[in-house]
């Protein structure tokens, strides 16, 4: 029997293609607005899987668009009622549903705390987070019902890659990005071998995931998925730290 999780995993190529078709022109407009605002840096507020997508933005916005990225501490806003200053910042809220309270509350206060622009990246354009942001990128992933986010995570990475391509004017990026759905489908063709390889780890209780650079985010996401879905005590490290 195919599980709901497997069904959504195999929807990824179509989800990514739909995102490209629906949002490419819009993302170009958002990138132009960011250039006009001339932010000094970017600050991203997210939790869980979306926080791992934010790690990807740290590397890509920094390495390809020259924009330093910090990760917010939303509890300062929601628990301590002490939102720090965001002078000159582009503040980005990332959430699968857009209904997480913390990113929404931070973006609501962003302009009052000095931000020059706010952006949300979610799967729901009608969500509270999307409504409070100056600009919104819709993931177009369709309903996600399983416990662990899959298609929304890869859609978040692609949305960030599209934005970075425009901001950094990376040579040839559009051609490469258009091939991502194809590459995702090719990766899924390896599923039988992956299933067979997983069998030897059926009784694993602890593991470490290692990654670095542009893949650092997915090292953390794999560890999170193992914890969410199998209760394996998985820890993610940079290979340099390990």
């Amino acid at each position: 029997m195919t599980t709901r999780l497997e069904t959504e995993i195999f929807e990824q190529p179509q989800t990514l293609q739909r995102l490209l078709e629906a949002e490419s022109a819009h993302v170009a407009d958002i990138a132009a607005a960011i250039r006009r605002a001339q932010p000094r840096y970017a600050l991203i507020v997210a939790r869980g899987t979306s926080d791992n997508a934010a790690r990807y933005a740290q590397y890509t916005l920094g390495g390809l668009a020259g924009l330093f990225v910090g990760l917010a501490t939303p509890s300062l806003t929601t628990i301590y009622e002490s939102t720090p200053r965001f002078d000159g910042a582009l503040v980005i809220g990332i959430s699968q549903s857009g209904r997480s309270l913390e990113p929404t509350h931070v973006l609501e206060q962003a302009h009052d705390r000095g931000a020059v622009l706010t952006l949300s990246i979610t799967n729901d354009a009608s969500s509270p987070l999307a409504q409070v942001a100056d600009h919104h990128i819709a993931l177009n992933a369709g309903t996600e019902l399983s416990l662990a986010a899959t298609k929304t995570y890869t859609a978040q990475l692609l949305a960030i890659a599209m934005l970075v391509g425009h901001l950094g004017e990376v040579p040839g990026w559009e051609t490469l990005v258009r091939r991502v759905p194809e590459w995702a489908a090719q990766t899924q063709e390896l599923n039988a071998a992956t299933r067979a390889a997983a069998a030897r780890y059926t009784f694993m209780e602890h593991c470490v995931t290692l990654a670095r650079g542009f893949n650092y985010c997915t090292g953390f996401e794999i560890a999170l998925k193992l914890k969410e879905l199998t209760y394996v005590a998985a820890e993610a490290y940079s290979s340099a730290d390990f």
Side-chain angles (χ1 to χ4, degrees):
M1 181 181 71
T2 301
T3 65
R4 181 179 292 167
L5 177 65
E6 288 175 306
T7 297
E8 291 176 356
I9 287 172
F10 278 91
E11 289 174 358
Q12 287 179 97
Q14 295 86 356
T15 296
L16 298 171
Q17 186 62 44
R18 192 161 56 243
L19 172 58
L20 285 168
E21 293 172 356
E23 292 292 309
S24 289
H26 184 211
V27 171
D29 292 340
I30 293 172
I34 292 172
R35 283 194 292 269
R36 289 193 296 271
Q38 296 186 321
R40 293 164 50 199
Y41 64 101
L43 186 79
I44 302 180
V45 52
R47 288 292 193 193
T49 286
S50 297
D51 205 30
N52 292 332
R55 297 178 196 273
Y56 178 69
Q58 279 190 299
Y59 279 90
T60 52
L61 281 170
L64 301 175
L67 192 63
F68 174 79
V69 179
L71 302 183
T73 48
S75 292
L76 290 176
T77 296
T78 57
I79 296 177
Y80 298 104
E81 298 181 355
S82 183
T83 304
R85 295 204 58 82
F86 302 145
D87 294 340
L90 163 66
V91 179
I92 304 173
I94 305 179
S95 169
Q96 274 88 41
S97 67
R99 301 188 182 281
S100 176
L101 294 178
E102 289 186 316
T104 301
H105 289 333
V106 173
L107 260 66
E108 283 176 332
Q109 298 186 27
H111 282 296
D112 288 342
R113 303 304 293 161
V116 296
L117 202 69
T118 61
L119 168 66
S120 63
I121 301 174
T122 82
N123 197 32
D124 185 355
S126 65
S127 66
L129 180 59
Q131 295 302 307
V132 300
D134 297 324
H135 299 279
H136 174 66
I137 300 174
L139 300 177
N140 293 279
T143 303
E144 190 167 55
L145 298 174
S146 59
L147 170 67
T150 54
K151 60 182 179 177
T152 49
Y153 173 67
T154 49
Q156 286 171 339
L157 300 188
L158 181 57
I160 293 166
M162 293 162 66
L163 182 66
V164 169
H166 283 292
L167 289 174
E169 298 180 342
V170 181
W173 74 269
E174 288 181 287
T175 299
L176 294 174
V177 161
R178 281 196 294 269
R179 294 196 64 189
V180 169
E182 170 194 346
W183 289 332
Q186 290 173 356
T187 300
Q188 289 180 344
E189 292 174 0
L190 304 175
N191 182 53
T194 303
R195 185 183 294 273
R200 68 175 293 188
Y201 302 106
T202 299
F203 301 105
M204 177 177 68
E205 295 181 355
H206 304 88
C207 80
V208 169
T209 62
L210 302 178
R212 197 172 182 183
F214 294 139
N215 291 320
Y216 189 55
C217 56
T218 299
F220 275 79
E221 183 63 10
I222 291 169
L224 178 60
K225 288 293 178 284
L226 286 169
K227 287 182 278 192
E228 286 179 325
L229 297 168
T230 71
Y231 301 110
V232 168
E235 293 294 330
Y237 286 92
S238 161
S239 54
D241 291 337
F242 189 77

mmCIF file of all heavy atoms in Angstrom, residues 205-211 219-220 222-224 226-227 232-238 242:
data_model
loop_
_atom_site.group_PDB
_atom_site.id
_atom_site.type_symbol
_atom_site.label_atom_id
_atom_site.label_comp_id
_atom_site.label_asym_id
_atom_site.label_seq_id
_atom_site.Cartn_x
_atom_site.Cartn_y
_atom_site.Cartn_z
ATOM 1 N N GLU A 205 19.278 2.786 15.950
ATOM 2 C CA GLU A 205 18.728 3.647 16.990
ATOM 3 C C GLU A 205 19.363 5.033 17.005
ATOM 4 O O GLU A 205 18.741 5.986 17.458
ATOM 5 C CB GLU A 205 18.913 2.998 18.366
ATOM 6 C CG GLU A 205 18.119 1.695 18.523
ATOM 7 C CD GLU A 205 18.297 1.091 19.907
ATOM 8 O OE1 GLU A 205 19.111 1.634 20.695
ATOM 9 O OE2 GLU A 205 17.625 0.085 20.202
ATOM 10 N N HIS A 206 20.603 5.124 16.535
ATOM 11 C CA HIS A 206 21.305 6.406 16.523
ATOM 12 C C HIS A 206 22.028 6.567 15.191
ATOM 13 O O HIS A 206 22.493 5.580 14.603
ATOM 14 C CB HIS A 206 22.355 6.472 17.645
ATOM 15 C CG HIS A 206 21.802 6.224 19.005
ATOM 16 N ND1 HIS A 206 21.689 4.966 19.531
ATOM 17 C CD2 HIS A 206 21.320 7.079 19.926
ATOM 18 C CE1 HIS A 206 21.166 5.053 20.740
ATOM 19 N NE2 HIS A 206 20.926 6.320 21.004
ATOM 20 N N CYS A 207 22.135 7.789 14.730
ATOM 21 C CA CYS A 207 22.949 8.036 13.533
ATOM 22 C C CYS A 207 23.340 9.505 13.473
ATOM 23 O O CYS A 207 22.794 10.351 14.202
ATOM 24 C CB CYS A 207 22.216 7.616 12.264
ATOM 25 S SG CYS A 207 20.994 8.792 11.677
ATOM 26 N N VAL A 208 24.282 9.782 12.599
ATOM 27 C CA VAL A 208 24.748 11.146 12.346
ATOM 28 C C VAL A 208 24.598 11.426 10.862
ATOM 29 O O VAL A 208 24.872 10.548 10.034
ATOM 30 C CB VAL A 208 26.225 11.302 12.764
ATOM 31 C CG1 VAL A 208 26.794 12.630 12.270
ATOM 32 C CG2 VAL A 208 26.380 11.188 14.275
ATOM 33 N N THR A 209 24.122 12.616 10.514
ATOM 34 C CA THR A 209 24.105 13.033 9.112
ATOM 35 C C THR A 209 25.132 14.145 8.939
ATOM 36 O O THR A 209 25.226 15.044 9.785
ATOM 37 C CB THR A 209 22.716 13.535 8.677
ATOM 38 O OG1 THR A 209 22.354 14.690 9.446
ATOM 39 C CG2 THR A 209 21.664 12.456 8.885
ATOM 40 N N LEU A 210 25.882 14.077 7.861
ATOM 41 C CA LEU A 210 26.954 15.035 7.598
ATOM 42 C C LEU A 210 26.703 15.756 6.288
ATOM 43 O O LEU A 210 26.341 15.137 5.291
ATOM 44 C CB LEU A 210 28.306 14.322 7.520
ATOM 45 C CG LEU A 210 28.750 13.522 8.744
ATOM 46 C CD1 LEU A 210 30.091 12.853 8.466
ATOM 47 C CD2 LEU A 210 28.841 14.421 9.960
ATOM 48 N N ALA A 211 26.891 17.051 6.293
ATOM 49 C CA ALA A 211 26.743 17.838 5.069
ATOM 50 C C ALA A 211 27.463 19.165 5.259
ATOM 51 O O ALA A 211 27.798 19.555 6.385
ATOM 52 C CB ALA A 211 25.277 18.073 4.740
ATOM 53 N N GLY A 219 21.233 18.098 5.124
ATOM 54 C CA GLY A 219 21.763 17.252 6.186
ATOM 55 C C GLY A 219 20.905 17.379 7.440
ATOM 56 O O GLY A 219 20.562 16.379 8.088
ATOM 57 N N PHE A 220 20.525 18.606 7.776
ATOM 58 C CA PHE A 220 19.654 18.840 8.926
ATOM 59 C C PHE A 220 18.245 18.315 8.670
ATOM 60 O O PHE A 220 17.596 17.781 9.570
ATOM 61 C CB PHE A 220 19.610 20.332 9.264
ATOM 62 C CG PHE A 220 20.740 20.785 10.137
ATOM 63 C CD1 PHE A 220 21.995 21.015 9.606
ATOM 64 C CD2 PHE A 220 20.555 20.978 11.493
ATOM 65 C CE1 PHE A 220 23.053 21.412 10.410
ATOM 66 C CE2 PHE A 220 21.594 21.378 12.312
ATOM 67 C CZ PHE A 220 22.858 21.603 11.770
ATOM 68 N N ILE A 222 17.364 15.783 6.738
ATOM 69 C CA ILE A 222 17.360 14.322 6.826
ATOM 70 C C ILE A 222 17.311 13.881 8.290
ATOM 71 O O ILE A 222 16.553 12.977 8.659
ATOM 72 C CB ILE A 222 18.594 13.735 6.113
ATOM 73 C CG1 ILE A 222 18.482 13.937 4.600
ATOM 74 C CG2 ILE A 222 18.760 12.251 6.432
ATOM 75 C CD1 ILE A 222 19.757 13.625 3.839
ATOM 76 N N ALA A 223 18.100 14.537 9.125
ATOM 77 C CA ALA A 223 18.075 14.200 10.552
ATOM 78 C C ALA A 223 16.694 14.445 11.140
ATOM 79 O O ALA A 223 16.183 13.631 11.931
ATOM 80 C CB ALA A 223 19.127 15.013 11.301
ATOM 81 N N LEU A 224 16.077 15.546 10.769
ATOM 82 C CA LEU A 224 14.740 15.842 11.267
ATOM 83 C C LEU A 224 13.739 14.790 10.815
ATOM 84 O O LEU A 224 12.887 14.326 11.592
ATOM 85 C CB LEU A 224 14.308 17.232 10.787
ATOM 86 C CG LEU A 224 12.893 17.688 11.177
ATOM 87 C CD1 LEU A 224 12.729 17.722 12.690
ATOM 88 C CD2 LEU A 224 12.588 19.046 10.567
ATOM 89 N N LEU A 226 14.299 11.651 10.021
ATOM 90 C CA LEU A 226 14.533 10.407 10.746
ATOM 91 C C LEU A 226 13.918 10.466 12.139
ATOM 92 O O LEU A 226 13.318 9.493 12.613
ATOM 93 C CB LEU A 226 16.033 10.131 10.830
ATOM 94 C CG LEU A 226 16.695 9.648 9.540
ATOM 95 C CD1 LEU A 226 18.220 9.666 9.670
ATOM 96 C CD2 LEU A 226 16.224 8.246 9.183
ATOM 97 N N LYS A 227 14.039 11.606 12.789
ATOM 98 C CA LYS A 227 13.456 11.746 14.132
ATOM 99 C C LYS A 227 11.933 11.750 14.071
ATOM 100 O O LYS A 227 11.267 11.096 14.888
ATOM 101 C CB LYS A 227 13.991 13.020 14.793
ATOM 102 C CG LYS A 227 15.433 12.911 15.243
ATOM 103 C CD LYS A 227 15.925 14.159 15.935
ATOM 104 C CE LYS A 227 16.343 15.225 14.955
ATOM 105 N NZ LYS A 227 17.090 16.330 15.612
ATOM 106 N N VAL A 232 14.480 7.556 15.359
ATOM 107 C CA VAL A 232 15.922 7.406 15.448
ATOM 108 C C VAL A 232 16.513 8.696 16.006
ATOM 109 O O VAL A 232 16.094 9.795 15.627
ATOM 110 C CB VAL A 232 16.528 7.100 14.063
ATOM 111 C CG1 VAL A 232 18.056 7.236 14.081
ATOM 112 C CG2 VAL A 232 16.138 5.699 13.615
ATOM 113 N N ALA A 233 17.464 8.575 16.923
ATOM 114 C CA ALA A 233 18.138 9.755 17.475
ATOM 115 C C ALA A 233 19.195 10.204 16.473
ATOM 116 O O ALA A 233 20.342 9.723 16.484
ATOM 117 C CB ALA A 233 18.767 9.431 18.807
ATOM 118 N N ALA A 234 18.812 11.082 15.563
ATOM 119 C CA ALA A 234 19.695 11.527 14.486
ATOM 120 C C ALA A 234 20.216 12.932 14.779
ATOM 121 O O ALA A 234 19.447 13.822 15.154
ATOM 122 C CB ALA A 234 18.945 11.525 13.163
ATOM 123 N N GLU A 235 21.508 13.112 14.611
ATOM 124 C CA GLU A 235 22.143 14.408 14.827
ATOM 125 C C GLU A 235 22.813 14.857 13.546
ATOM 126 O O GLU A 235 23.523 14.085 12.899
ATOM 127 C CB GLU A 235 23.161 14.323 15.964
ATOM 128 C CG GLU A 235 22.579 14.076 17.334
ATOM 129 C CD GLU A 235 21.726 15.237 17.815
ATOM 130 O OE1 GLU A 235 22.002 16.379 17.420
ATOM 131 O OE2 GLU A 235 20.776 15.001 18.598
ATOM 132 N N ALA A 236 22.619 16.123 13.188
ATOM 133 C CA ALA A 236 23.215 16.686 11.977
ATOM 134 C C ALA A 236 24.446 17.519 12.340
ATOM 135 O O ALA A 236 24.423 18.264 13.321
ATOM 136 C CB ALA A 236 22.223 17.552 11.245
ATOM 137 N N TYR A 237 25.498 17.368 11.538
ATOM 138 C CA TYR A 237 26.721 18.129 11.740
ATOM 139 C C TYR A 237 27.240 18.630 10.402
ATOM 140 O O TYR A 237 27.084 17.973 9.370
ATOM 141 C CB TYR A 237 27.820 17.249 12.341
ATOM 142 C CG TYR A 237 27.677 16.906 13.792
ATOM 143 C CD1 TYR A 237 27.023 15.737 14.162
ATOM 144 C CD2 TYR A 237 28.223 17.728 14.788
ATOM 145 C CE1 TYR A 237 26.911 15.392 15.503
ATOM 146 C CE2 TYR A 237 28.098 17.385 16.114
ATOM 147 C CZ TYR A 237 27.450 16.227 16.478
ATOM 148 O OH TYR A 237 27.329 15.893 17.793
ATOM 149 N N SER A 238 27.907 19.769 10.443
ATOM 150 C CA SER A 238 28.813 20.116 9.347
ATOM 151 C C SER A 238 29.943 19.099 9.363
ATOM 152 O O SER A 238 30.445 18.744 10.431
ATOM 153 C CB SER A 238 29.368 21.531 9.540
ATOM 154 O OG SER A 238 30.522 21.718 8.772
ATOM 155 N N PHE A 242 32.309 17.948 12.507
ATOM 156 C CA PHE A 242 32.379 16.548 12.908
ATOM 157 C C PHE A 242 33.814 16.060 12.941
ATOM 158 O O PHE A 242 34.192 15.314 13.838
ATOM 159 C CB PHE A 242 31.534 15.705 11.940
ATOM 160 C CG PHE A 242 31.352 14.280 12.367
ATOM 161 C CD1 PHE A 242 30.447 13.960 13.364
ATOM 162 C CD2 PHE A 242 32.093 13.261 11.787
ATOM 163 C CE1 PHE A 242 30.274 12.645 13.761
ATOM 164 C CE2 PHE A 242 31.935 11.945 12.181
ATOM 165 C CZ PHE A 242 31.006 11.639 13.180
#
